[in-house]
Amino acid sequence: AQQRTLSIIKPDAVGKNAIGDIIARFEKAGLAVVACKMLHLSQEKAEGFYAEHRERPFFNDLVGFMTSGPVVVQVLEGDNAIAKNRDLMGATDPKKAEAGTIRADFASSIDANAVHGSDSPESAEREIDYFFAADEICPRG
Ligand code: CMP
């Protein structure tokens, strides 16, 4: 089924000038960019995005990393977009990511892991609404 998912190109990948390479992987896999913006997250915005991880030991490092430089936030649309994006990204820990995945090729640690992608339809809906107003999304077709 057609789905939307939220993708973030994280500060490490932006710093490596890999925005285009990463977006090309989404497009080649049949996912369309229907919304896109670059922004430097405030601490408050990053903490709100990752609120479900607030009690985890890695929360402060995660927020510190995500506010360390600009990110590119996109809505990807396509058939089975949530799982497809997660396949393209590979495992959260780049040491465990399969060869040829975005994290295997661009990530250097579990925090500096190049990309984020929504993990369920419920989180996709929340995450898309967190960054985009309805009129900032441009559906295809
Ligand atoms: P992301 O998909 O953005 O969601 C939460 C992030 O926390 C995750 O990617 C990792 O970058 C980061 N993180 C750091 N340590 C861990 C951990 N032990 N388990 C899961 N995520 C972690």
Side-chain angles (χ1 to χ4, degrees):
Q2 286 292 116
Q3 271 182 341
R4 287 178 180 172
T5 189
L6 186 89
S7 165
I8 304 179
I9 302 176
K10 296 190 180 187
D12 57 320
V14 173
K16 286 176 183 163
N17 250 359
I19 298 167
D21 284 343
I22 291 172
I23 290 180
R25 291 184 183 213
F26 299 144
E27 293 187 330
K28 283 180 184 145
L31 296 174
V33 176
V34 296
C36 185
K37 64 175 92 169
M38 188 169 203
L39 69 173
H40 196 138
L41 296 177
S42 65
Q43 179 160 336
E44 188 186 17
K45 189 84 177 171
E47 285 178 353
F49 182 73
Y50 283 120
E52 67 184 290
H53 295 305
R54 194 173 283 279
E55 304 306 325
R56 307 282 288 273
F58 57 82
F59 182 72
N60 287 342
D61 285 347
L62 172 62
V63 169
F65 175 69
M66 290 300 287
T67 57
S68 67
V71 298
V72 177
V73 187
Q74 316 119 73
V75 178
L76 304 176
E77 185 176 83
D79 191 44
N80 206 19
I82 295 169
K84 190 177 276 185
N85 182 39
R86 292 182 72 79
D87 287 348
L88 292 169
M89 290 193 297
T92 305
D93 181 351
K95 291 197 290 278
K96 296 177 187 156
E98 253 183 82
T101 60
I102 292 169
R103 283 168 170 155
D105 291 342
F106 296 103
S108 42
S109 72
I110 198 164
D111 281 309
N113 68 347
V115 280
H116 166 83
S118 308
D119 65 4
S120 67
E122 295 71 32
S123 57
E125 190 177 352
R126 180 186 82 82
E127 292 177 3
I128 290 168
D129 286 350
Y130 193 75
F131 283 110
F132 293 98
D135 68 359
E136 293 179 307
I137 301 175
C138 304
R140 300 297 176 86

